[in-house]
């Protein structure tokens, strides 16, 4: 029997191969240090958990909730945007609560995509940015992920040569997986481009609060007139370490928000009400927990960059996000990112995400997540060092190794 239509549009899930190998190693007793998935290990803030406990079991809280989010939660998100970005939003028409930003992207794709519609998506990129539209019947045209003049050159070329004309462009800064940050000037140019060609911008800022250099990443909605063509997706997953709670938002253009809310009204009844109430407490509460989160990730970043360099793997220090986008070590450059990822599990007990899983232009890189504590990161570095030192004698007949300079 042939695969179902939408299943056939999805390529093999690269990360599943790494996950299977990781599970097999653990079943065999290996202590795998997992830097592969961006799954926060930090606890949710205490006052947020207390609000959840306080609300659960109250009268009416077990009933169906509002699909687009309870009013208090939408007001809290609007308040956050005004404090953080100076952007005023109407919580009734310009804010939709989602079950995480991933669900928001997927259902926005369902809402706005007709079969054959062209979407401009970054490559490499978080998979939902492309596959959400593929599942909706759209066509993906890849453009560079970094916010550079080369991106605008590629965008102009795509608009000129795509039939039909693209309906939207997806951007993500701080970027997953590359950790690149965009400037407000970049967003100004992007808004001008989108308006000139009458296309929407779908912006993902899930990592906007994870920054390390006292230079907060901006929102595209800070640009005058951006609300006319843009919707922005965010999440409490990283900011408040609430990944499993599944609370996110789509905010911005009223027409796009209304389309998303309409689709969601047929598909879900919203998150469990106590979770929405607790999420409201997170957004309205003190920001000490956010500062602590940044400090922890920054320290982990510094430890990883330093200890991995000492182990023989020089990696760049990101200025934002909870990821390091690291090139395959030069001695192993003859391997693919998937091959090297498998090798690290087998020989160093370290799991990472192969760059090719984020698109073909991610080949040659690995994504490392800052989701293990400093002690475990140093242990990973020691494992890597032992592996690198033994590779010359144990791998010379197995994988292609480049001669040391």
């Amino acid at each position: 029997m042939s695969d179902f239509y939408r299943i056939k549009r999805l390529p093999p899930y690269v990360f599943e191969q790494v996950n299977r190998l990781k599970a097999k190693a653990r079943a065999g007793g290996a202590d795998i240090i997992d830097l592969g998935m961006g799954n926060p290990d930090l606890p949710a803030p205490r006052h947020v958990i207390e609000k959840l406990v306080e609300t659960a079991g109250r009268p009416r809280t077990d009933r169906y909730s509002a699909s687009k989010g309870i009013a208090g939660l939408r007001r809290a998100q609007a308040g956050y945007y005004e404090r953080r970005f100076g952007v005023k939003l109407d919580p009734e028409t310009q804010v939709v609560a989602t079950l995480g930003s991933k669900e928001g992207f997927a259902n926005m794709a369902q809402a706005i995509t007709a079969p054959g519609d062209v979407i401009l998506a970054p490559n490499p990129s978080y998979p939902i940015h492309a596959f959400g539209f593929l599942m909706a019947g759209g066509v993906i045209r890849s453009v560079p992920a970094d916010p550079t003049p080369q991106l605008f050159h590629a965008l102009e070329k795509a608009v000129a040569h795509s039939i039909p004309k693209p309906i939207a462009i997806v951007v993500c800064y701080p970027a997953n997986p590359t950790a690149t940050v965009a400037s407000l000037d970049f967003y100004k140019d992007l808004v001008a481009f989108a308006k000139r060609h009458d296309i929407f911008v779908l912006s993902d800022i899930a990592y906007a609060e994870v920054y390390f250099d006292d230079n907060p990443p901006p929102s595209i909605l800070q640009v005058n007139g951006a609300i006319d063509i843009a919707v922005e997706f965010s999440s409490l997953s990283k900011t408040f370490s609430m990944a499993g709670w599944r609370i996110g938002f789509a905010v911005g253009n009223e027409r796009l928000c209304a389309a998303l809310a309409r689709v969601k009204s047929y598909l879900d009844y919203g998150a469990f009400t106590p979770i929405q109430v607790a999420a409201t407490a997170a957004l309205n509460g003190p920001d000490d927990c956010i500062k602590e989160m940044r400090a922890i990730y920054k320290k982990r970043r510094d430890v990883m960059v330093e200890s991995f360099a000492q182990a023989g793997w020089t990696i760049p220090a990101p200025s934002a996000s909870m990821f390091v986008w690291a090139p395959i070590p030069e001695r192993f450059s003859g391997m693919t990112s998937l091959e090297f990822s498998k090798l690290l599990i087998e020989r160093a007990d370290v799991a990472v995400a192969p760059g090719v899983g984020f698109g073909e232009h991610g080949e040659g890189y690995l994504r490392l997540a800052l989701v293990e504590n400093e002690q475990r990161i140093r242990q990973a570095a020691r494992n890597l060092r032992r592996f690198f030192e033994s590779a010359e004698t144990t791998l010379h007949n197995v994988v292609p190794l480049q001669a040391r300079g």
Side-chain angles (χ1 to χ4, degrees):
M1 293 179 66
S2 61
D3 282 335
F4 297 111
Y5 167 72
R6 285 185 174 80
I7 302 303
K8 286 193 293 186
R9 292 178 65 83
L10 298 175
Y13 196 54
V14 172
F15 303 119
E16 187 56 36
Q17 298 183 48
V18 177
N19 291 339
R20 281 200 301 267
L21 195 60
K22 183 170 59 179
K24 181 180 178 181
R26 282 177 168 159
D31 177 21
I32 301 296
I33 300 171
D34 195 350
L35 308 175
M37 185 177 179
N39 195 4
D41 64 316
L42 304 177
R46 174 51 51 188
H47 70 280
V48 177
I49 296 173
E50 290 173 352
K51 179 58 71 172
L52 173 69
V53 172
E54 173 191 323
T55 309
R58 283 186 173 180
R60 305 177 69 87
T61 58
D62 292 324
R63 294 185 171 190
Y64 292 128
S65 189
S67 178
K68 71 174 186 177
I70 61 175
L73 179 58
R74 286 182 280 112
R75 285 196 299 269
Q77 177 69 352
Y80 161 73
Y81 256 77
E82 186 163 9
R83 293 191 307 272
R84 173 69 163 79
F85 302 115
V87 173
K88 291 189 176 183
L89 297 168
D90 182 343
E92 285 300 313
T93 60
Q94 296 176 324
V95 180
V96 178
T98 62
L99 304 178
S101 57
K102 189 173 183 179
E103 177 267 321
F105 251 98
N107 279 325
M108 180 64 80
Q110 294 292 331
I112 70 173
T113 310
D117 276 349
V118 176
I119 306 294
L120 306 177
N123 189 334
S125 182
Y126 187 53
I128 196 65
H129 294 157
F131 297 139
F133 292 96
L134 284 174
M135 285 188 283
V139 176
I140 297 299
R141 180 156 184 158
S142 295
V143 295
D146 289 346
T148 64
Q150 286 72 29
L151 170 57
F152 286 103
H153 176 74
L155 292 177
E156 293 286 358
K157 186 176 179 181
V159 169
H161 297 287
S162 294
I163 300 176
K165 187 189 76 173
I167 65 166
I169 174 174
V170 177
V171 293
C172 174
Y173 305 109
N176 180 5
T178 66
T180 309
V181 178
S183 67
L184 191 57
D185 284 340
F186 166 80
Y187 283 134
K188 290 177 181 177
D189 292 341
L190 184 62
V191 169
F193 166 84
K195 288 195 165 190
R196 186 163 64 250
H197 294 290
D198 192 28
I199 64 177
F200 293 118
V201 178
L202 308 178
S203 170
D204 184 346
I205 61 165
Y207 300 91
E209 296 300 341
V210 189
Y211 58 90
F212 310 122
D213 300 330
D214 296 322
N215 186 21
S219 160
I220 192 173
L221 297 180
Q222 291 175 253
V223 177
N224 185 39
I227 201 84
D228 299 334
I229 47 87
V231 158
E232 199 152 61
F233 296 83
S234 61
S235 165
L236 271 62
S237 296
K238 310 308 186 294
T239 304
F240 296 100
S241 301
M242 294 167 62
W245 299 50
R246 308 315 300 136
I247 289 289
F249 300 92
V251 307
N253 179 265
E254 290 187 11
R255 182 183 173 205
L256 291 174
C257 285
L260 174 60
R262 179 85 179 273
V263 166
K264 281 178 61 61
S265 71
Y266 283 91
L267 298 177
D268 71 70
Y269 285 104
F272 183 39
T273 296
I275 289 180
Q276 295 196 54
V277 173
T280 303
L283 290 166
N284 289 338
D287 64 356
D288 297 7
C289 54
I290 303 176
K291 295 176 181 176
E292 291 171 8
M293 171 272 294
R294 286 192 204 112
I296 290 170
Y297 284 136
K298 182 177 182 179
K299 188 66 181 295
R300 291 179 180 182
R301 177 203 67 172
D302 295 344
V303 168
M304 180 178 285
V305 170
E306 180 184 2
S307 63
F308 277 38
Q310 292 172 349
W313 189 0
T314 301
I315 59 178
S319 63
S321 88
M322 59 189 295
F323 302 117
V324 174
W325 187 238
I328 295 176
E330 188 174 352
R331 290 178 60 209
F332 300 89
S333 60
M335 303 181 70
T336 67
S337 59
L338 181 57
E339 290 169 339
F340 187 65
S341 298
K342 292 179 177 180
L343 195 64
L344 288 184
I345 294 175
E346 294 170 346
R347 302 301 179 98
D349 290 341
V350 174
V352 300
V356 72
F358 302 97
E360 66 270 28
H361 294 296
E363 188 56 87
Y365 289 83
L366 295 310
R367 194 194 71 177
L368 286 61
L370 303 172
V371 293
E372 295 272 12
N373 63 40
E374 295 165 36
Q375 180 181 347
R376 296 279 285 172
I377 291 172
R378 289 193 175 95
Q379 181 62 54
R382 289 192 290 270
N383 292 2
L384 288 169
R385 184 169 187 168
R386 285 195 295 270
F387 164 56
F388 292 157
E389 289 175 347
S390 67
E392 200 74 41
T393 56
T394 61
L395 293 178
H396 66 285
N397 289 326
V398 181
V399 299
L401 294 180
Q402 302 299 315
R404 296 200 218 195

